[in-house]
C-alpha cells in the first residue's frame, strides 16, 4: 500500500473516492504530525551538537559518533521539509479546486435562478408596464402644471401688442429726458460779433463814405 493509500484510505469499498474536504483534512493532519516530528528531530540535532562539543578532541570517538547522529537527523529533517512542501502544494491545489467547485455551484445556482426569473417575465408585459409608467408620469406632470398655474391668468399674449407697448414706453422715457433738459444746459449765444459779421459792417461803412464823397 503506497503513501497516498495510507493517507486517504484504500479505494476499495468507495467507488467515488474521498471528497476534497476529506482529503484536505487528512493533509492537514499529516502536516501537523510532520511538523511535530520536525521539532523533535531539531531537538535531537541540538543535543548531539552539545554532546560533540562536550567531548571535543578529548574523547574523539564519542564526539564523532554524536556528529554522525546529527547528520542522520539533519537528513531526516531535509526529507521532512521536502514532504511538507509537497503536501502543502497538494493541499493548496485541493483548496483551490474546492473553492472553484463551490464558485461554479453558486454560479450555476444563480444562472438557474436568473433563467427562471426570465421565464416568468413576458417581454410584451414589460413593454406595456413601461408604457403605463411613462403615461402616468406624463399625467402627473400635467396635473402638477395645472395646479401650480394661477387661476384666471393666461400666458396667451399677442407679441405685436407687447412690442407696441414697449415702444410707447421707450418714447415716453425719451420725451421725459428731453423735457428735463434746462435752459442752462442749452448752448449760449456768443456775446461778441463773429468775424464775418464784423467784416460786413466795416465794408458797409466804407461804402457809405464813398457814396458821400462822390456826391
Amino acid at each position: 500500500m503506497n503513501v497516498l493509500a495510507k493517507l486517504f484510505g484504500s479505494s476499495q469499498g468507495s467507488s467515488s473516492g474521498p471528497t476534497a474536504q476529506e482529503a484536505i483534512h487528512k493533509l492537514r493532519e499529516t502536516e501537523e504530525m510532520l511538523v511535530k516530528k520536525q521539532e523533535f528531530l531539531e531537538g535531537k540535532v541540538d543535543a548531539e551538537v552539545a554532546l560533540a562539543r562536550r567531548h571535543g578532541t578529548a574523547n574523539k570517538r564519542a564526539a564523532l559518533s554524536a556528529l554522525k547522529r546529527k547528520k542522520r537527523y539533519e537528513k531526516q529533517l531535509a526529507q521532512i521539509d521536502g514532504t511538507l512542501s509537497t503536501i502543502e502544494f497538494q493541499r493548496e491545489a485541493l483548496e483551490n479546486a474546492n473553492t472553484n467547485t463551490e464558485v461554479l455551484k453558486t454560479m450555476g445556482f444563480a444562472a438557474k435562478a436568473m433563467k427562471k426569473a426570465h421565464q416568468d417575465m413576458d417581454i410584451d408585459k414589460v413593454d406595456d408596464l413601461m408604457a403605463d409608467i411613462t403615461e402616468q408620469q406624463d399625467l402627473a406632470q400635467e396635473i402638477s402644471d395645472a395646479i401650480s398655474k394661477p387661476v384666471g391668468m393666461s400666458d396667451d399674449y399677442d407679441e405685436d401688442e407687447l412690442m407696441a407697448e414697449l415702444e410707447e414706453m421707450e418714447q415716453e422715457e425719451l420725451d421725459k429726458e428731453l423735457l428735463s433738459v434746462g435752459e442752462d444746459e442749452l448752448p449760449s449765444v456768443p456775446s461778441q460779433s463773429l468775424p464775418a459779421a464784423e467784416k460786413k459792417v466795416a465794408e458797409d461803412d466804407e461804402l457809405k463814405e464813398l457814396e458821400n464823397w462822390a456826391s
Side-chain angles (χ1 to χ4, degrees), residues 105-116:
K105 286 181 180 179
T106 303
M107 293 176 66
F109 180 78
K112 291 180 180 179
M114 186 178 295
K115 183 178 180 180
K116 184 178 183 301

Side-chain angles (χ1 to χ4, degrees), residues 97-114:
N98 188 49
T99 300
N100 292 336
T101 300
E102 293 300 323
V103 170
L104 289 175
K105 286 181 180 179
T106 303
M107 293 176 66
F109 180 78
K112 291 180 180 179
M114 186 178 295

Side-chain angles (χ1 to χ4, degrees), residues 166-180:
L166 178 60
E167 292 176 353
E168 183 179 352
M169 292 172 61
E170 290 179 346
Q171 186 61 42
E172 290 178 356
E173 188 65 25
L174 181 60
D175 293 341
K176 289 180 181 180
E177 291 179 359
L178 292 176
L179 292 175
S180 64

Side-chain angles (χ1 to χ4, degrees), residues 198-211:
E198 292 177 355
K199 185 177 180 181
K200 182 68 169 59
V201 171
E203 291 177 350
D204 291 342
D205 292 340
E206 291 177 358
L207 182 58
K208 286 181 180 180
E209 291 179 359
L210 287 174
E211 289 177 352

Side-chain angles (χ1 to χ4, degrees), residues 22-65:
E22 292 172 345
I24 292 171
H25 180 70
K26 286 289 185 180
L27 287 172
R28 289 187 184 278
E29 288 182 346
T30 303
E31 281 182 296
E32 293 176 359
M33 181 267 292
L34 290 176
V35 169
K36 289 180 180 179
K37 186 175 181 180
Q38 192 177 44
E39 294 173 352
F40 173 76
L41 290 174
E42 288 174 350
K44 299 290 286 184
V45 168
D46 293 338
E48 296 299 336
V49 170
L51 183 60
R53 287 176 177 175
R54 186 169 63 250
H55 288 298
T57 56
N59 191 347
K60 189 176 181 179
R61 172 177 282 183
L64 291 177
S65 297

Side-chain angles (χ1 to χ4, degrees), residues 189-193:
V189 178
S191 59
Q192 297 180 355
S193 301

Side-chain angles (χ1 to χ4, degrees), residues 68-200:
K68 288 180 181 179
R69 289 191 296 272
K70 178 179 97 49
K71 291 293 184 181
R72 291 199 301 271
Y73 295 147
E74 288 176 343
K75 185 178 180 180
Q76 293 181 44
L77 283 172
Q79 291 175 344
I80 292 175
D81 284 338
T83 303
L84 284 172
S85 297
T86 302
I87 291 176
E88 183 179 6
F89 174 80
Q90 190 176 21
R91 175 176 54 79
E92 289 177 352
L94 279 171
E95 288 174 346
N96 290 334
N98 188 49
T99 300
N100 292 336
T101 300
E102 293 300 323
V103 170
L104 289 175
K105 286 181 180 179
T106 303
M107 293 176 66
F109 180 78
K112 291 180 180 179
M114 186 178 295
K115 183 178 180 180
K116 184 178 183 301
H118 288 164
Q119 288 177 347
D120 294 339
M121 292 183 183
D122 186 345
I123 188 62
D124 293 332
K125 292 182 179 179
V126 173
D127 291 339
D128 293 340
L129 176 61
M130 295 306 298
D132 290 341
I133 292 175
T134 302
E135 182 180 355
Q136 293 303 317
Q137 288 177 340
D138 293 341
L139 178 59
Q141 185 63 43
E142 292 178 3
I143 294 174
S144 178
D145 293 341
I147 293 175
S148 61
K149 185 176 181 180
V151 178
M153 295 184 65
S154 174
D155 293 337
D156 188 12
Y157 300 111
D158 188 346
E159 292 187 2
D160 294 336
E161 293 181 359
L162 294 176
M163 184 59 67
E165 182 178 353
L166 178 60
E167 292 176 353
E168 183 179 352
M169 292 172 61
E170 290 179 346
Q171 186 61 42
E172 290 178 356
E173 188 65 25
L174 181 60
D175 293 341
K176 289 180 181 180
E177 291 179 359
L178 292 176
L179 292 175
S180 64
V181 176
E183 293 182 358
D184 55 341
E185 297 180 0
L186 294 174
S188 59
V189 178
S191 59
Q192 297 180 355
S193 301
L194 296 175
E198 292 177 355
K199 185 177 180 181
K200 182 68 169 59

